[in-house]
Amino acid sequence: MNENEGFAKARINWYPGHMAKTKRQISEDIKLIDIIIEILDSRIPISSRNPDIAQITKNKDKIIILNKSDLADAKQNELWVQYFKNNGQTAILADCNNGKGINEILRAVEKQKSSELEEYAKKGRTGRKIRAMVLGIPNVGKSSFINRVAKNSNLEVGNKPGVTKKKQWIRINDKIELLDTPGVLWPKFESEQVALNLSYTGTIKDDVLPKTEIAYQLLKFLLENYRQNIIERYKLDASYIEETLNKPEPENFNIYEIMLQIGKKRGCIISGGEVDDEKTAKIIIDDFRSGKIGKITLEKAERK
């Protein structure tokens, strides 16, 4: 098993026409917006940040939502909040599926734009709401956030100056309205690691890259950084892992052997007694995504 073969051969076609169209639309809509709500995946805050969109929105006020924080390493969550604070941005931990952090996010939006609302009021524009745009790559939890904040709200079709007739705004309360946008990726990865991180979390569809390769690379990371989680989840012996990793074989052989051992533990046996590595790969990937392996952060924040 060649460690890089799967990614070297794979041709990733993941920037379809609708994403290019969405990017153009965001560039137009940004003129109408007071503040950006950018949703990132707490497990991969850098990899889940679209650099193209970051460039488009660089001159706008912004609130960062670190979503899926319930699946991420708690210590790293706090370090990431501090990381963004050190870079002059407000970051809020959230779990949009269960509503954690939602009220804090809305309060942060109001607080950041409070002085402007006061200015509007002085000029007699008492009905002027904060216009926010919600941005995030696919599968980052944007729909969950929208559904949460719009639960008791009505959709408004805007006929405001500069707003196309069919543009929909979501009225959140008497101070905030949201403009939703489709999730959009960017045309070129900065590195193979970004591609891997997006594959682990399900942003890149599972049929684009070889599933066994994704699971292998994920297992390699987990053995290096969260070995005890692997031991406990799959009931492996610590000495077995240590001995296997130290065998005088290429590293990828040894990690693959541990992957097959997990398959045996999970009953992924096919005819002839061999392990079904694709079924094993799916188990490892699904266990990671669902949090069954534990609270994992793939990108570590730098301490400052």
Side-chain angles (χ1 to χ4, degrees), residues 285-298:
I285 294 167
D286 288 349
D287 282 355
F288 164 73
R289 291 176 183 171
S290 65
K292 290 177 182 176
I293 294 177
K295 297 182 183 297
I296 308 285
T297 297
L298 300 170

Side-chain angles (χ1 to χ4, degrees), residues 61-76:
D61 287 340
K62 187 175 291 184
I63 299 290
I64 303 293
I65 301 177
L66 292 171
N67 193 32
K68 305 187 181 184
S69 61
D70 58 310
L71 299 174
D73 187 320
K75 290 181 180 179
Q76 283 297 316

